[in-house]
Amino acid sequence: TRDKMPPTPGDILVHAGGDKDGQPVQVADLSEKLVRAWPMGKDADGNPLIRKGDPNNVVAMYKFQAGQIGAPTNIPATIDGQIVVYSDICMHAGCSVSDDDQKAGQMKCPCHSGQYDPMHGAKVTGGPPPGPLPQLPVKMDGDKIVVSGFFLTPPYGFTESDWEARKK
Ligand code: FES
């Protein structure tokens, strides 16, 4: 069903929790601190539908300074090399990844202390995760941040072939 579909091109990213829960994420809301968001698509009647049916659809959004983002981030999939979005679901065992309170602009998983670097493709910088968090391509549409492609690599719980099937 549509509420379980993964983040899909054209979806608007909306706040997941906090004061602005359900509202579109604005550029001004973003910084080097993690903002969690849901993808919002449309139901069969064309009404807005937040894709909360799969908890693995939560994403982590950041805005860094120009020049801070580097390889292996896919730069064309960012907005101006500054706004970058990843799955928020840890590749180790599926926990929701948070800010690393010890290191600004870095991510840490509360479950087993997996660490990721969102300025560099969310590569693993510590702990047990087997690989980076998948990056989600985004672009601006007016003042909204929208999904412009599927996760570039399979998110937590998907093999390559499962993921190819899921995108259809
Ligand atoms: Fe994230 Fe284990 S679930 S480190």
Side-chain angles (χ1 to χ4, degrees):
T1 54
R2 290 179 187 231
D3 70 324
K4 288 193 169 64
M5 281 174 67
T8 298
D11 285 357
I12 296 169
L13 293 174
V14 303
H15 284 273
D19 296 349
K20 298 180 180 172
D21 188 39
Q23 294 179 28
V25 176
Q26 306 280 306
V27 171
D29 298 333
L30 297 174
S31 69
E32 65 176 24
K33 280 190 169 300
L34 185 158
V35 170
R36 290 197 182 88
W38 291 109
M40 183 174 76
K42 290 192 164 51
D43 68 14
D45 298 323
N47 298 312
L49 175 76
I50 299 180
R51 301 192 199 280
K52 290 184 178 179
D54 185 342
N56 289 355
N57 284 346
V58 179
V59 296
M61 305 180 68
Y62 287 96
K63 180 171 185 284
F64 294 107
Q65 308 286 325
Q68 281 186 308
I69 292 181
T73 311
N74 182 316
I75 302 287
T78 67
I79 294 171
D80 296 336
Q82 295 184 44
I83 294 175
V84 65
V85 182
Y86 299 100
S87 172
D88 188 50
I89 306 303
C90 186
M91 295 301 284
H92 177 228
C95 291
S96 176
V97 182
S98 301
D99 280 317
D100 185 338
D101 294 336
Q102 311 295 316
K103 288 186 208 148
Q106 299 291 301
M107 305 173 86
K108 190 162 182 178
C109 179
C111 289
H112 316 96
S113 300
Q115 291 166 277
Y116 298 95
D117 178 357
M119 285 182 261
H120 296 95
K123 68 180 180 187
V124 179
T125 54
L133 297 171
Q135 188 181 343
L136 183 69
V138 286
K139 63 179 184 181
M140 295 304 300
D141 182 4
D143 64 351
K144 303 202 171 53
I145 298 169
V146 302
V147 177
S148 61
F150 290 98
F151 284 123
L152 297 177
T153 52
Y156 174 73
F158 286 86
T159 64
E160 194 82 42
S161 58
D162 284 346
W163 179 238
E164 288 305 316
R166 180 73 180 268
K167 284 155 54 173
K168 302 226 164 77

